[in-house]
Amino acid sequence: MATTFADQLRSLPDEALGALIQLRPDLVVPVPSDVSALAVRAQSRGSVARCLDSLDEFTLAILDAARLSRSPETALTSVEAILELASSAPPDDVRVAVGRLRARFLLHGPEEALQVVGAVDEVTSPYPAGLGRPADFLDPAAAALCSDRAKLRRTVMEATPAARAVLDRLAAGPPIGALGRASSDGAVSEPVRWLIDHHVLVQVSEVGRSPRPDGELVELPREVGMLLRRETGPLGLLRPHPPAPETPVRDVKAVDAAGAGQALEAVRTTESLLEALAVEPAPVLKAGGLGVRDLKRLARETNMDEPVAALMLEVAHATGLLGEADRTGISRSTVSTGDEVFLPTGAYDLWKAQGIAQRWTALARAWLIMTRQPSLVGRRDERDRPITALSPEAERPAGPQARREALMAVAALPAGTAPRIDDVLGLLFWQAPRRARGREAVHRDALDGAAQLGVTGRDALTSYARLLLNPEDADPLGAEQVTDAVRALDGLLPAPVDHVLVQADLSVVVPGPPEPELAGELEVVTDKESAAMRRVTPSSVRRALDVGYSATDLHALFRRWSRTPVPQALTYLIDDAARKHGGLRTGSAGGYLRSDDEALVAEALADKRLSSLALRRLAPTVLVSPHQVSRLLGALREAGYAPVAEDAGGATVLSRPKVRRAPTRTPVSVRLPDQAGPPHLAGPRLAGVVEQIRKGDIATRAARRAPVSVRAANGQGVPGLTSVQAHGQAMAVLQQAVREKARVWVGYVDSHGATLSRLVRPVSLSAGYLRAEDDRTETLHTFALHRITAAVPEEQ
């Protein structure tokens, strides 16, 4: 019969052992060498603490019941004893909780003799269920009082209201309190003194919590606490099931519509911020991050609050759309300090070419798993310094797990349920009290961020966000793909429009998300004023002409895309710009300027605004300058001319404005883990891990049965053995085994320097290697002869 913890694990069938590994995946990171190593790891403080962190409030209460009901002599408990302590809860729910603890091997052994894993007492409170230690441990007088139940009840009933308030507070847990001082002379307050004098409270020391008459603390004996809990039960109020928040249930279509609108706004906001940084890059602070002034400027230019701007900048950076680049080529009037600046990356241009649903999905995935807490921006750190956006101080490794916990708690509610934040926090505390304690701010930040990004709508989780949270929705290779979440959101967003409304003031109204082709052309021929408003200007028309559009092309473009008649002012603007465009042509000489119009050349030569170009006439229609073509084009355009560049053959050079981009960053992995920590094991991987542990256990047990001479040669220090087998004798034993096809024990040193023993059947011995077969695993092994330390025939 299995007696030790390792023996109990060893006796489990493969299915049960695999279930334990699934419940506690940290046990196989890395994979233990055998079952004994697995047992040691399962009883370690760290592993037990991680396991307890995942348990719900009711299961932890049942574990406390198991600790309280242990026998003082054997330290064992039983299911019946646990049921007696948890009598206020349904027995079936208690048995289910006990089953959860046994499946995780926090309780092990038969039902009538259950044992609590020792590390549980080390990583949990010394006061199970908030009850103090037994009275006979604390004080003989208190023990005498508690042994007489009637006298104990009378004493409690005689307590004054103030003293009873102290008892009720300590009975709710924890049972420890500091001595209250009634006056400056150090006298104990009257209610506490009365309770101490009547042995209802016991003084204990602050260090070690040992009973002392002059102790600084007081402790409520366990028996008194259980008496005061007679209405709720010894374990207090038990909640076998999670609390059901009384919140409104909204129409799912309304929730999705609100969330889709916010998702569209999140994409537009991100694009506006990045475009603003492309126009005026922000310097990177020496300590890292974006300056407070730059954040205020970006928020002002994009008409949003600073916390929202900080959130979207953090998300854009996590997605890989925003990065750092050196300030080469940026004028010092634009960036005043810093050697690096924040700029959109090359990935931003690819992101802009995607559909809105795909762009939002990229942002939402990065937000879910980024290790940042944007709500910290604007606060001060422990050194009283402000925390800035994109700075290292906003890093929080627990962020991804906290966001997933909060969203999964909402996802577990019926569709359309819109819980309050406090209700979600209460639900999270029930699901994992140890993990949720102290994470309230992170969970609030997660729910606020979900609302800003459109993950939730009207406080309820959207249908497309539920698909996004599904781990199967992620591409295992991390590649972009059209997922169910993208398709669901795409069906909720307004259909892309293929037209615009051109107005008499040359403004262009875009009545919805433009199609990619329309968006690309609008980017060239118009200037953006807002999400739905653009404007045609002389500079935008000149830009279109520079990239290859002709006047005829522009007229046809506006006739094709506009649902309103093209204003006459726009026709005149295009024709006038096209007539002037290309009247002057530049080339490299340093740079030259030529024109068929001699009067225009003479005007440029006499223009004082162009004196910095040092123009010199080479011919009536040709001027030359020592400056490069780019300098010529810029100065001429600033002076009001409309030159174009040409190549050596005289052909017009078409060019778009050069846009600076930061180096492409690798975004945060798009794979959404099922939970933080070790990977989830299932199927063949789980079976392989179990098989590896079983094989290692067989090999370890076989090594213990190896002959004395082999173990001695492996350096295991067998008493009474003063020398090891000579290497030549080992070769002779192996040669004999090859001829007789007999099994031998081989001691050897592996590539890691570990000394091992294995029972094998030699097949061949040549070229400096021994090839042998392991009959148990049916595996052919190869041993380098210089690593073999001993060889002994198997004893029949």
Side-chain angles (χ1 to χ4, degrees):
M1 180 178 180
T3 54
T4 67
F5 190 87
D7 289 336
Q8 294 182 50
L9 288 179
R10 194 172 287 115
S11 64
L12 292 175
D14 288 350
E15 294 78 8
L17 187 59
L20 172 63
I21 293 173
Q22 284 184 308
L23 293 170
R24 300 176 63 178
D26 63 295
L27 296 180
V28 292
V29 182
V31 178
S33 58
D34 53 28
V35 175
S36 296
L38 179 68
V40 171
R41 195 174 296 174
Q43 298 177 88
S44 65
R45 291 170 54 96
S47 179
V48 170
R50 283 188 289 270
C51 184
L52 292 176
D53 288 344
S54 65
L55 295 180
D56 59 72
E57 177 187 289
F58 182 67
T59 305
L60 289 174
I62 298 305
L63 181 60
D64 282 342
R67 297 172 61 197
L68 288 170
S69 59
R70 286 179 291 190
S71 169
E73 294 79 15
T74 62
L76 299 177
T77 184
S78 65
V79 175
E80 293 301 324
I82 295 174
L83 285 169
E84 183 179 354
L85 272 180
S87 56
S88 60
D92 291 342
D93 292 332
V94 176
R95 291 184 181 274
V96 170
V98 171
R100 285 195 289 265
L101 295 170
R102 297 184 70 187
R104 291 164 173 78
F105 265 72
L106 297 175
L107 291 179
H108 60 94
E111 289 190 357
E112 64 278 2
L114 291 173
Q115 184 173 352
V116 181
V117 170
V120 169
D121 293 324
E122 300 176 12
V123 299
T124 56
S125 169
Y127 307 106
L131 294 172
R133 291 169 289 184
D136 56 2
F137 174 83
L138 294 173
D139 181 50
L145 174 65
C146 294
S147 62
D148 189 344
R149 303 284 295 179
K151 183 178 179 182
L152 176 60
R153 283 194 296 269
R154 288 195 304 270
T155 305
V156 171
M157 293 178 65
E158 292 171 358
T160 63
R164 185 58 186 266
V166 173
L167 290 178
D168 292 340
R169 173 65 184 85
L170 295 177
I176 289 289
L179 281 176
R181 303 295 178 179
S183 60
S184 58
D185 60 358
V188 179
S189 61
E190 183 178 348
V192 176
R193 173 52 59 191
W194 187 93
L195 292 172
I196 294 174
D197 293 341
H198 287 77
H199 310 294
V200 181
L201 293 182
V202 179
Q203 288 185 260
V204 296
S205 64
E206 187 172 0
V207 179
R209 304 290 170 89
S210 58
R212 285 181 54 183
D214 58 345
E216 304 87 352
L217 305 175
V218 290
E219 181 171 343
L220 183 71
R222 180 176 301 175
E223 293 82 357
V224 181
M226 295 177 72
L227 173 64
L228 295 171
R229 293 184 181 183
R230 59 186 179 275
E231 295 181 0
T232 60
L235 301 179
L237 179 63
L238 294 178
R239 299 188 294 176
H241 305 289
E246 297 180 0
T247 55
V249 178
R250 309 190 191 280
D251 181 63
V252 176
K253 291 184 179 179
V255 170
D256 287 345
Q262 188 60 38
L264 180 61
E265 182 63 24
V267 172
R268 288 176 174 173
T269 298
T270 304
E271 185 175 348
S272 299
L273 285 169
L274 295 178
E275 289 294 339
L277 282 172
V279 174
E280 186 177 348
V284 180
L285 299 177
K286 291 183 178 180
L290 182 72
V292 175
R293 291 183 180 178
D294 290 301
L295 179 61
K296 290 180 180 293
R297 172 180 64 83
L298 291 172
R300 184 175 59 254
E301 291 178 358
T302 54
N303 297 317
M304 67 180 72
D305 296 332
E306 292 180 29
V308 179
L311 169 65
M312 302 314 300
L313 286 171
E314 292 281 3
V315 173
H317 192 269
T319 312
L321 308 179
L322 179 64
E324 300 84 15
D326 61 67
R327 55 184 298 169
T328 303
I330 301 178
S331 64
R332 294 197 174 263
S333 61
T334 303
V335 181
S336 58
T337 59
D339 296 329
E340 290 187 329
V341 293
F342 286 108
L343 276 175
T345 65
Y348 170 63
D349 299 306
L350 301 176
W351 178 77
K352 280 207 314 181
Q354 297 176 341
I356 292 179
Q358 284 182 298
R359 291 155 71 181
W360 178 85
T361 303
L363 295 176
R365 285 185 182 276
W367 171 75
L368 276 172
I369 54 180
M370 70 178 187
T371 57
R372 310 280 299 172
Q373 188 175 340
S375 63
L376 295 176
V377 176
R379 301 182 186 178
R380 308 190 80 84
D381 59 13
E382 61 277 0
R383 290 178 287 183
D384 199 34
R385 297 186 305 181
I387 299 176
T388 59
L390 305 176
S391 65
E393 287 76 13
E395 191 80 15
R396 291 297 183 271
Q401 185 178 10
R403 291 187 197 98
R404 190 165 186 83
E405 288 171 354
L407 293 179
M408 292 304 291
V410 180
L413 301 173
T417 303
R420 298 173 303 172
I421 291 182
D422 290 339
D423 293 331
V424 177
L425 296 180
L427 185 58
L428 289 170
F429 188 84
W430 185 91
Q431 291 176 346
R434 289 169 55 93
R435 194 162 55 205
R437 189 176 293 111
R439 285 192 179 183
E440 293 82 0
V442 186
H443 288 142
R444 287 181 183 274
D445 176 62
L447 296 173
D448 290 340
Q452 290 292 340
L453 284 169
V455 176
T456 59
R458 301 183 65 187
D459 298 329
L461 192 66
T462 58
S463 58
Y464 54 87
R466 291 178 184 272
L467 297 173
L468 186 68
L469 291 174
N470 182 5
E472 297 178 359
D473 192 44
D475 183 1
L477 297 179
E480 293 294 332
Q481 59 177 353
V482 180
T483 63
D484 293 339
V486 172
R487 284 189 287 268
L489 178 58
D490 202 39
L492 296 169
L493 294 171
V497 298
D498 59 354
H499 64 277
V500 296
L501 306 175
V502 183
Q503 303 186 89
D505 60 352
L506 301 186
S507 62
V508 179
V509 179
V510 187
E515 290 185 343
E517 182 182 359
L518 174 59
E521 292 191 332
L522 289 176
E523 192 72 25
V524 176
V525 301
T526 62
D527 293 332
K528 183 177 180 180
E529 292 188 345
S530 66
M533 183 70 70
R534 307 185 75 91
R535 186 172 299 277
V536 183
T537 63
S539 63
S540 68
V541 174
R542 186 181 64 199
R543 184 170 64 243
L545 295 171
D546 286 343
V547 300
Y549 288 89
S550 65
T552 304
D553 294 334
L554 292 177
H555 289 312
L557 182 149
F558 284 106
R559 285 195 300 268
R560 184 171 70 254
W561 295 117
S562 178
R563 289 287 179 88
T564 57
V566 178
Q568 193 175 33
L570 177 58
T571 303
Y572 288 161
L573 175 62
I574 293 174
D575 291 341
D576 185 60
R579 185 173 56 254
K580 296 179 180 178
H581 189 265
L584 293 178
R585 296 174 177 267
T586 64
S588 57
Y592 66 84
L593 183 67
R594 74 173 183 87
S595 175
D596 295 332
D597 188 348
E598 294 184 15
L600 184 60
V601 172
E603 178 185 352
L605 182 62
D607 197 332
K608 294 182 178 180
R609 293 173 297 176
L610 303 180
S611 59
S612 61
L613 297 180
L615 294 174
R616 182 170 57 91
R617 186 193 297 269
L618 293 182
T621 58
V622 180
L623 302 178
V624 68
S625 171
H627 299 287
Q628 296 296 319
V629 174
S630 58
R631 173 74 181 277
L632 286 175
L633 287 172
L636 289 168
R637 285 170 178 168
E638 288 179 3
Y641 298 94
V644 295
E646 65 178 18
D647 60 15
T652 300
V653 177
L654 304 178
S655 63
R656 292 179 180 268
K658 185 176 181 181
V659 181
R660 280 181 54 81
R661 291 290 183 256
T664 300
R665 294 177 55 255
T666 302
V668 180
S669 172
V670 298
R671 185 177 178 86
L672 297 180
D674 183 42
Q675 60 181 8
H680 179 73
L681 295 175
R685 292 181 64 192
L686 179 61
V689 170
V690 172
E691 182 181 3
Q692 183 176 347
I693 294 174
R694 296 289 193 196
K695 286 183 177 180
D697 197 51
I698 293 173
T700 301
R701 297 172 68 184
R704 296 194 188 103
R705 298 195 301 267
V708 171
S709 57
V710 173
R711 286 187 278 126
N714 283 345
Q716 297 186 21
V718 178
L721 199 63
T722 58
S723 61
V724 299
Q725 186 180 28
H727 186 72
Q729 183 179 356
M731 295 301 103
V733 171
L734 293 174
Q735 292 170 354
Q736 182 70 21
V738 170
R739 290 192 295 268
E740 298 178 357
K741 298 182 179 180
R743 296 199 302 181
V744 296
W745 283 97
V746 175
Y748 63 97
V749 180
D750 66 6
S751 58
H752 301 289
T755 54
L756 303 173
S757 304
R758 191 180 294 273
L759 182 63
V760 296
R761 189 184 306 276
V763 175
S764 64
L765 187 67
S766 62
Y769 291 94
L770 167 68
R771 291 170 180 82
E773 183 179 11
D774 190 332
D775 293 341
R776 290 188 300 275
T777 61
E778 298 181 355
T779 304
L780 187 65
H781 297 277
T782 301
F783 304 91
L785 295 183
H786 68 277
R787 291 186 177 273
I788 294 177
T789 58
V792 176
E794 179 187 22
E795 297 180 1
Q796 302 296 332

